[in-house]
Amino acid sequence: MGPLARWLISMDGWRSAMLVLGEVVWLVIIPTALFVREPPVSTTAASHADTDGADGRELTVAQALRSPQFAALALTYFACCAAHSGPIFNMVTNAIDHGVAAMAAVTVLSVASLASLSGKIICGLVADRVGAQRTLLAGLALQAGAVSLYLFTSELAGFYAVALVFGFAYGGVMPLYAILVREYFGARIMGTAFGAVALVSTLGMAMGPLAGGWLHDAFGSYFWLFLGSFGIGLGAVAIAFTFRAPDGVTAALTSPSVAH
C-alpha cells in the first residue's frame, strides 16, 4: 500500500490518493469482513470455558480496572506505542532527509510492514511455548534496540535492515497484550478490559508522531525523536518486568517457570 499511495500522490495529488484508498476500504476490506463467522463450539472448548469461570480468575470490570495488573499493562502498552509510533510515522521522511528518493523511502515502510506481519505470527507461536510475558519482554527490548539503530543509519541498505528488525519487534509485541489481558482477567470481561488497556495505548500512539514532528521542526533532525523513543522503549521493558498475576489466578500461571 505504501508504494501504491506514493504513486497515486505523484499522479494526481494526495486528495485523489486518499479517495482511492478510501474506495479500496469500501470495496475490499468491508465486504471481506462480512465473511467473519463465529467458530463452532466444540465439547473441549465448552469444557475449558466452564473451567475458566470456576477457577477464580473471573473478575468484575471494576476489580480489573482498579488492579495493579491493569495499571502495569496499560502503562506498558502506552510506553510501547509511544516508543514505536514516532519512528513509524516519520520513517519515510527520515529516510528522505538522508537523501533517499521518495519512492525508495516508501518501500522502507513496506519492508517494516511485512516484517511486522511475520513478527505477529512468530511471536505468537513463541508465546504459546514460553509464555506471553517472557515473549513481550524480549520483543520490547528488541524494539528499543532497533529504534536506537536509527541514530546510526543513513544509507538505504541500512534503513532496510533496521526496518526488518524494528518491524518484526513492534508487530510481534502487539498481539501479546490481548493474551495477558485474557490470562489476568479472564474471558468474560476480556473485551472491556482490553478495550480500556487499548484506550490508554492509543494516547501513546497519538503522542509519538506529534512529539517526533515537533522535535524535528525544533532541532532540524530526527535525532532527539529516536533517542527519546529509545528511552521510552526501555521504560516499557522496565514496567513489563513488574507484571504479576492477580490473586486467584491458577497455579499454572503463577509458577516460577512462567514468572507472571
Side-chain angles (χ1 to χ4, degrees):
M1 294 301 294
L4 172 62
R6 176 68 258 177
W7 179 77
L8 290 171
I9 291 171
S10 66
M11 292 294 293
D12 200 25
W14 67 267
R15 290 178 176 83
S16 296
M18 292 290 286
L19 180 62
V20 171
L21 296 178
E23 290 170 346
V24 169
V25 173
W26 278 104
L27 298 175
V28 178
I29 299 177
I30 293 177
T32 302
L34 297 177
F35 287 95
V36 176
R37 296 288 186 271
E38 290 287 343
V41 179
S42 65
T43 304
T44 302
S47 175
H48 288 169
D50 291 341
T51 302
D52 282 345
D55 67 3
R57 285 200 288 140
E58 296 291 353
L59 305 176
T60 66
V61 172
Q63 288 172 330
L65 297 184
R66 290 197 303 265
S67 68
Q69 287 76 24
F70 174 81
L73 277 170
L75 288 175
T76 301
Y77 208 174
F78 172 89
C80 172
C81 288
H84 68 229
S85 59
I88 291 173
F89 279 85
N90 293 282
M91 187 182 299
V92 174
T93 50
N94 176 57
I96 292 174
D97 279 359
H98 285 85
V100 177
M103 182 59 79
V106 171
T107 62
V108 174
L109 178 61
S110 298
V111 168
S113 299
L114 288 172
S116 171
L117 175 61
S118 66
K120 289 180 173 66
I121 297 171
I122 294 174
C123 288
L125 294 172
V126 173
D128 288 342
R129 288 160 176 77
V130 305
Q133 183 186 0
R134 289 181 175 179
T135 309
L136 179 64
L137 283 168
L140 290 174
L142 182 62
Q143 174 181 270
V147 169
S148 71
L149 295 178
Y150 278 109
L151 295 170
F152 314 102
T153 304
S154 59
E155 302 293 335
L156 180 59
F159 285 122
Y160 282 138
V162 175
L164 283 171
V165 180
F166 178 55
F168 179 90
Y170 79 70
V173 299
M174 298 305 283
L176 304 178
Y177 296 101
I179 298 174
L180 289 168
V181 167
R182 169 67 173 78
E183 290 181 352
Y184 285 178
F185 307 124
R188 185 174 59 83
I189 63 167
M190 180 182 174
T192 304
F194 184 69
V197 170
L199 173 63
V200 178
S201 77
T202 302
L203 300 177
M205 201 71 186
M207 184 185 77
L210 177 63
W214 179 83
L215 288 169
H216 177 271
D217 292 345
F219 298 100
S221 77
Y222 286 111
F223 175 85
W224 293 106
L225 162 64
F226 295 123
L227 186 63
S229 295
F230 170 62
I232 295 172
L234 291 181
V237 176
I239 300 170
F241 265 113
T242 70
F243 286 179
R244 297 293 183 274
D247 294 338
V249 175
T250 56
L253 293 177
T254 56
S255 64
S257 62
V258 178
H260 281 27

